[in-house]
Each structure stands twice: as C-alpha cells, then as structure tokens.
Amino acid sequence: MCEREGGGQSDQWILGGKEGEAGRGCRMLDLPFLPFCVLLGGLGFVCVAFVSAWCQHWRGGFAWDGSAQMFNWHPVLMVTGMVVLYGTAALVYRLPPAWSGPKLPWKVLHGTLALVAFGLAVLGLVAVFRFHNHNGTPNMYSLHSWLGLATVLLFSCQWLAGFSAFLLPWAPTWLRALYKPIHIFFGSTILMLSVASCVSGINEKLFFSLKNGTMEYKRLPTEAVFANTLGLLILLFGVLVLGALARPSWKRPDADSPDSCQVLALPTPLLAMDYLHQLSGTTNVYWGYMRRAATSLVTTGATEGGAQGPVAPQLCSPSSTARSTAATATAPGSGCSSRAELM
Amino acid sequence: MCEREGGGQSDQWILGGKEGEAGRGCRMLDLPFLPFCVLLGGLGFVCVAFVSAWCQHWRGGFAWDGSAQMFNWHPVLMVTGMVVLYGTAALVYRLPPAWSGPKLPWKVLHGTLALVAFGLAVLGLVAVFRFHNHNGTPNMYSLHSWLGLATVLLFSCQWLAGFSAFLLPWAPTWLRALYKPIHIFFGSTILMLSVASCVSGINEKLFFSLKNGTMEYKRLPTEAVFANTLGLLILLFGVLVLGALARPSWKRPDADSPDSCQVLALPTPLLAMDYLHQLSGTTNVYWGYMRRAATSLVTTGATEGGAQGPVAPQLCSPSSTARSTAATATAPGSGCSSRAELM
C-alpha cells in the first residue's frame, strides 16, 4: 500500500528515483477512507440482511426451542458477530476522528464492539449446541465445527489479553511492546478464520438442507444461488477489512496521540473532564496538577518515566522529545511501537 | 510486527519514548527467518503428505480415467499448488540471499514457482471436471466450487499482470508504482481464498464420503479426524505464510537492490555475464559500455531517466543519489516504492 512520511500526515511521498512518475502511481491508489467505510458498512449490512433473509425465507424462520428454527440463529449471529461487528471493531483506529485527541475512547469503543461481537458468537454457539442436543446429533465432528470453535476460543484469548495489556494498569511497557504486534497479527488471523468458518458452514448447511428432487443443491435452486452469493459477499467483506487494516496510509499516526494508559483506573468524572479538556485542546495548569495527582494514585511500573512528563491536558504523556522523535522516526507500517503507541 | 530502520539492516530500533523497555519487547519478537522457513517447509511437506495419504489410504488411490480415483488428484494438486507451492513463491523475496545482489533471479524464481503452482491448480480442476462429466454430475454448483474457481481465475490474472508489469520491458514506472501494492495485496488475498477453498472442500468431501453406519462423519471415524486435522494444518500453513509476508523486518530492503528492469528483453549470455558481474561486485568500464549498448536496444519509456544513470554493473540503475535517498527514506513496511524497488 502507499505510504506517506509521517504516517499519512505529510504530503511528501517516500520515493527514491523518479519521484514524479512513481508518486503519480501511489497517489492514484490513495483512496479516501470514509467513502470506503460507507461502502464497507453497506456491504456488512447486506451480509447480515442476506443471512437473515436466507434463514427466514428458506429455512423456516427463528425460534429458541431447540428446533431447526433455533439452529437458524447460528448463521445469523456468527456472521453478524464474528465477521461484520468484528470487522467494524478492527477498523475503529482507522477512523480519522481517532487520529487525534485521546486514544482511550477509541480503545474503549474497540474493546466494547469486540465484546459485543464475542457475546453474539457465544449465543450463536449456544443455538447450534442446543439444536444438536435437542435432536441427538453429536457436536464437534465436522471440520467446520473444529475451525469455528477454535476461532471463537482464539477470539476470547485475544480479547482478554488485549483488555489486560492495554486497558488495565499493570502491564509493563516492554510487555505491551511485546504483545502489540501479536494482538494485531491475531486480530487479522481471527477474521480470516471466521470468514473460512462461515464459508465452510454455509457450504455444509446447503448440502444438509438441499437434498431431494428439484431442491437438490447440485440443481442449483434459487436458495443455493442466494446462499452461495452470501458466502462470496462475506469473503469480500473480510478481504476488504484485511486490506484496510494493512494499508499504512490509513493507520493512526500513534506517535502523535496522547497517552491514555491506565485511564480505566481513574474515577469516571476525571476521565470525562480529561476528555473534554483533550477535545477543547486547552491547557490549564491547575487542571494539570489535579490530573497529575489523580494519575499518581494509580501509577505503576507500566508508566515508569511516562508519568514524569507533562500531564495536562494528557494522562502520563511521554515527553515532548520522545513524541517528536516518534513522530519523525516511527513508520506507520511498523508494528514496533513508540511508548505513546503502546498506551 | 517489529521493524528496524533501513528494513532490518540497522540494529537501531524505531522507537519513541523509553527505547529500552519497548525495544526489549520488539527484540523478543524478532524471530530468525531461516528456522521459521524450515518449520514452514516441514509443515508444507506434512500438508502434502496428509492429503496424499488421505486419498491413497481412505479414498482408493489415484487414476486418470474419470473415476473416483481421478477425483483424488483434485485435493492433492490443489493443496500442493494453490497452498504449499503458492506460499513458497510468495516468500521468495523474504529469503536473506534475495536481500542483496540482483533482483532478477528472484523475480524469475517467484514467477516460475507461481507458474508451476498455477499449472498444478489447472490439472486439479481438470481432474474434478472430468470426474463430474464422466459421472453425469453437474459442475460449479457448490459454494466451494464457486470460490475455488474464482480463486484460480484471480490467480491467473495476478500472474499475467505481474509478469507484464515486472518482467516485460514496456510497463512505465508510474504503472509499476500503481500496480505493485495491488499485486502484493492480491498475493495475500489469493492465498487466503485458497485456504478457505481447501477447508470448505475437505468439509464437503467428508460429508459426501462418510455416510453410512460406523463410517458416518458424525461418528468421527479415523478418516474424519485425519482429514479434519489436514484442514487445520492447511490453515496453520496459510496463517504462517501471511504472517511472514506481513512482517516488516523480514522484507527485502528493496531500495538497496540493483535495478533489474527489462533484463528478460536482453540476450541470455548478457544476462548471465551481468549476473556474474553483480555477484562479483566488480565494476568494469568496458563491460559498462557493452551493457549500456545492449540496454539501449531495448530501452522503452519504462526506463526513462533510469537508463541515463551508470549501468555497470547494473542494468538501467537509478542514480546513486536516488538510491541513497531511497535507502534512507523508504520504510520497509511501505508499499509505496522507490524506483529501484519497482524494477
């Protein structure tokens, strides 16, 4: 993907040789993020609408009684949670408003969306397990079930580790630096596994359901075309999200973002006032002392050094020297993080 | 992923704030590539061995006569071509020997491995189509078949576009700059789609084959456990290749590599002598004039400017100024390319 010096902030393209020619090529690829977001949101909505319509129109609708109608919640909840909502959570840091100001609200939004996605996935698993148990069908025998369950378990570990490392106060900086690239890597991996699970699940369900006469899968009835198309749309959504995540010029220039480490350990009113200060961009010495005092109550080894820097209007912000170093040195494509980036 | 200034050449880590702590975290993640390659090679071998053993031991072996034994070539050729060999081709530029010296031999190796992978995939498709036609089974009705064929078609476009843009002489620099990130993005995407196709195909085949009595898929006989494990191994292989491709510190510092544009348009003896010169690192004025003369025979708009620079011991190399600019300015994680990188 095309990349700009300073993580998309500067207009100077990083090019050797004939800057003009190659630069033209790069600029032509520099799509704006928001129109892409609208397209992706529309595609996500279409995926959820398609899977719901499939289960409602061809598979008999929904219920929560262990019947085939209860099974129908499985594809709907899995596609909504593990693909669409998960993909949305993954892209939170790519939103331009998240590029400046405090990182905390975006971290909380990222974690909350992921938690809701996980909740929907668990409900989706309950639906299929109860359906199997109600009908005496064994659980966990197909490759789809092995892959699906492995993906959800991996997701649970990812969420817990991310919450502990980036939102709770006691993770040391070196541990955050060690874990951040792992979190990013598994974030994309889990989405890839979710998409593969959905495709194998839709394929499996169609072979189960379309068996007889003119409704045989091999005769490609309308339901088969519709559900196959759903599978391809889910794949397209996953590929677009992974592409957006990999695009350096859409990454938040983290080195410039205020450090929001351990804010969850502070009283909520302080957080709200701190956030308002961040947005207004004002600097208030008295407020700075208040924040320093509040921060010192929860400072641990994780903020060692960082908490010595000016804290108004930011929490335990790295020194301006460190921030400017990071701003000039850290490549947006880099997973190796500045201190500010790790918080 | 962790990244070093200069694309892994310098030991200076790009870090803001407390370099020591975060740096320790990054260093702990900086795995050596060659042991990873050995592990990956072993895993690829195990995938091919597993799929062959499955078809030989449980599915009746191989033939080329339209029977079920002919179908057995399909999974073997697809896993070998579209996953293992394709993944190998994708990782060619990550091999340390490819980091220095001329890029051309690695480009040829990359293209050749991809072409062999594509050939195996086409044979795999012939196997399943002939099996279906021989048994009066319709083609192209399942989601697996739609996804699989779409993946192979995408792969054919990717190969042709890559060959035309990076190995044939007439692609202008701006077009290479435009296309390179697209080629990289679709390279990973095609591997992801191949893995999803394999998983859905194995799942589908097991539902077809394990139908009766104690051999029902839901009873999880030995064959089912073996083939499910094969599916998970293929997924693991795909994820590890995608992870290796995304790791900035394993990327070739392209800005330092000699430009090898249009070498395919030169007579083979000149190529061989040029390659030997590159390896010996000697500069020979007479040789330089010979090369300049040979290059001028095939110079097109694609080398505009570049061909004006010194050509011994390199072909249409960018000026040393441009190269040094690129060496210091181009981030390894960047998809936006220096001129040298595009050739």
Side-chain angles (χ1 to χ4, degrees):
Chain A
M1 308 296 163
C2 291
E3 182 167 337
R4 295 172 178 192
E5 201 163 9
Q9 288 183 305
S10 154
D11 278 337
Q12 181 189 342
W13 291 91
I14 301 169
L15 290 168
K18 297 203 79 184
E19 190 277 346
E21 288 176 3
R24 202 187 321 151
C26 284
R27 283 194 181 82
M28 286 166 72
L29 273 183
D30 192 41
L31 310 165
F33 182 72
L34 285 181
F36 172 85
C37 253
V38 173
L39 168 80
L40 199 66
L43 183 59
F45 176 80
V46 169
C47 290
V48 175
F50 261 55
V51 70
S52 309
W54 175 35
C55 296
Q56 180 63 49
H57 183 70
W58 281 284
R59 297 286 110 229
F62 302 92
W64 198 265
D65 55 5
S67 67
Q69 284 69 36
M70 181 162 186
F71 171 85
N72 289 343
W73 281 112
H74 176 66
V76 171
L77 291 169
M78 287 312 196
V79 170
T80 310
M82 292 298 293
V83 178
V84 178
L85 214 52
Y86 183 96
T88 311
L91 286 174
V92 154
Y93 295 117
R94 302 301 190 278
L95 290 166
W99 280 30
S100 59
K103 199 170 181 180
L104 176 72
W106 304 102
K107 289 168 77 173
V108 170
L109 180 62
H110 175 74
T112 308
L113 284 171
L115 190 61
V116 175
F118 181 72
L120 294 182
V122 169
L123 280 176
L125 290 182
V126 170
V128 68
F129 277 102
R130 275 197 54 188
F131 165 69
H132 282 169
N133 298 339
H134 186 265
N135 296 277
T137 312
N139 291 300
M140 301 304 303
Y141 63 90
S142 72
L143 175 55
H144 162 69
S145 63
W146 285 25
L147 170 58
L149 192 64
T151 307
V152 175
L153 290 176
L154 203 58
F155 185 18
S156 65
C157 300
Q158 169 90 341
W159 193 90
L160 284 173
F163 181 77
S164 312
F166 300 119
L167 281 172
L168 292 185
W170 45 71
T173 309
W174 69 266
L175 184 63
R176 292 179 176 196
L178 176 70
Y179 177 60
K180 191 178 181 187
I182 298 175
H183 188 77
I184 291 169
F185 171 68
F186 276 100
S188 298
T189 301
I190 290 167
L191 180 59
M192 202 189 95
L193 298 181
S194 301
V195 167
S197 307
C198 290
V199 168
S200 56
I202 292 168
N203 207 50
E204 178 178 318
K205 178 65 181 172
L206 287 170
F207 273 105
F208 268 133
S209 311
L210 303 177
K211 280 179 181 171
N212 36 33
T214 56
M215 282 300 288
E216 263 192 308
Y217 193 8
K218 68 172 72 168
R219 293 176 184 274
L220 211 59
T222 318
E223 177 182 356
V225 175
F226 189 88
N228 284 358
T229 309
L230 164 66
L232 297 185
L233 289 173
I234 290 169
L235 269 161
L236 180 63
F237 182 89
V239 166
L240 289 178
V241 170
L242 292 172
L245 290 173
R247 190 174 173 83
S249 65
W250 283 355
K251 286 181 182 166
R252 169 185 170 125
D254 276 299
D256 293 338
S257 71
D259 179 342
S260 56
C261 64
Q262 303 173 348
V263 177
L264 284 194
L266 290 172
T268 313
L270 270 179
L271 297 190
M273 292 172 70
D274 184 69
Y275 184 39
L276 290 174
H277 261 263
Q278 298 272 9
L279 292 183
S280 65
T282 59
T283 304
N284 176 320
V285 177
Y286 171 69
W287 178 248
Y289 282 118
M290 267 187 66
R291 306 293 298 105
R292 190 194 304 269
T295 312
S296 65
L297 296 175
V298 293
T299 299
T300 71
T303 56
E304 183 190 344
Q308 312 313 316
V311 289
Q314 298 146 347
L315 259 173
C316 49
S317 163
S319 75
S320 56
T321 321
R323 284 216 312 282
S324 61
T325 312
T328 51
T330 308
S334 168
C336 197
S337 315
S338 71
R339 256 193 111 267
E341 217 176 329
L342 301 172
M343 301 312 163
Chain B
M1 307 295 163
C2 292
E3 183 166 338
R4 295 172 178 192
E5 202 164 7
Q9 290 184 304
S10 154
D11 280 338
Q12 182 188 341
W13 290 91
I14 301 168
L15 291 169
K18 298 202 77 185
E19 190 277 344
E21 288 176 0
R24 201 187 321 150
C26 284
R27 282 192 182 84
M28 287 168 73
L29 273 182
D30 191 43
L31 310 165
F33 181 72
L34 285 181
F36 172 85
C37 253
V38 173
L39 169 80
L40 200 66
L43 183 58
F45 177 81
V46 169
C47 288
V48 175
F50 262 55
V51 69
S52 309
W54 175 34
C55 295
Q56 179 64 48
H57 183 70
W58 281 284
R59 298 286 110 228
F62 303 92
W64 199 263
D65 54 6
S67 67
Q69 284 68 37
M70 180 163 187
F71 171 86
N72 289 342
W73 281 112
H74 176 65
V76 171
L77 290 169
M78 287 310 193
V79 169
T80 310
M82 292 297 293
V83 177
V84 178
L85 214 51
Y86 183 97
T88 311
L91 286 174
V92 155
Y93 295 118
R94 302 302 191 275
L95 290 166
W99 280 29
S100 60
K103 199 170 179 179
L104 176 71
W106 304 102
K107 289 168 77 173
V108 171
L109 180 62
H110 175 74
T112 308
L113 284 171
L115 189 61
V116 175
F118 181 72
L120 294 183
V122 170
L123 281 176
L125 289 182
V126 169
V128 69
F129 277 101
R130 274 196 56 187
F131 165 69
H132 281 169
N133 298 340
H134 187 266
N135 296 276
T137 312
N139 292 299
M140 302 304 303
Y141 64 89
S142 73
L143 176 54
H144 163 70
S145 63
W146 286 24
L147 170 58
L149 192 65
T151 308
V152 175
L153 290 175
L154 202 58
F155 184 19
S156 65
C157 301
Q158 170 88 343
W159 193 91
L160 283 173
F163 181 77
S164 313
F166 300 119
L167 280 173
L168 292 185
W170 44 72
T173 309
W174 69 265
L175 183 63
R176 293 179 176 196
L178 177 70
Y179 177 60
K180 191 177 180 186
I182 298 174
H183 187 79
I184 290 168
F185 171 68
F186 277 100
S188 297
T189 300
I190 290 167
L191 180 60
M192 202 189 95
L193 298 180
S194 302
V195 167
S197 307
C198 290
V199 168
S200 56
I202 293 168
N203 207 48
E204 179 178 316
K205 178 66 181 172
L206 288 170
F207 273 104
F208 269 133
S209 311
L210 303 176
K211 281 180 180 170
N212 36 34
T214 56
M215 282 300 287
E216 264 193 306
Y217 193 8
K218 69 171 73 167
R219 293 176 185 274
L220 210 59
T222 317
E223 177 182 356
V225 175
F226 188 88
N228 285 357
T229 309
L230 164 65
L232 297 185
L233 289 173
I234 289 169
L235 270 161
L236 180 62
F237 182 88
V239 165
L240 289 178
V241 171
L242 292 172
L245 290 172
R247 191 175 173 82
S249 65
W250 283 353
K251 285 181 183 165
R252 169 185 170 125
D254 276 298
D256 294 338
S257 71
D259 178 343
S260 56
C261 65
Q262 304 174 345
V263 177
L264 284 194
L266 290 172
T268 313
L270 271 178
L271 296 191
M273 291 172 71
D274 185 67
Y275 183 39
L276 291 174
H277 261 264
Q278 297 272 7
L279 292 182
S280 65
T282 59
T283 303
N284 176 320
V285 178
Y286 171 70
W287 177 246
Y289 282 117
M290 267 187 65
R291 304 290 301 103
R292 189 193 306 268
T295 313
S296 66
L297 298 175
V298 293
T299 299
T300 70
T303 56
E304 184 190 343
Q308 311 313 318
V311 289
Q314 296 145 347
L315 258 176
C316 48
S317 164
S319 75
S320 56
T321 322
R323 283 217 311 284
S324 62
T325 313
T328 52
T330 308
S334 167
C336 194
S337 314
S338 71
R339 242 190 126 272
E341 211 176 336
L342 301 173
M343 302 311 163

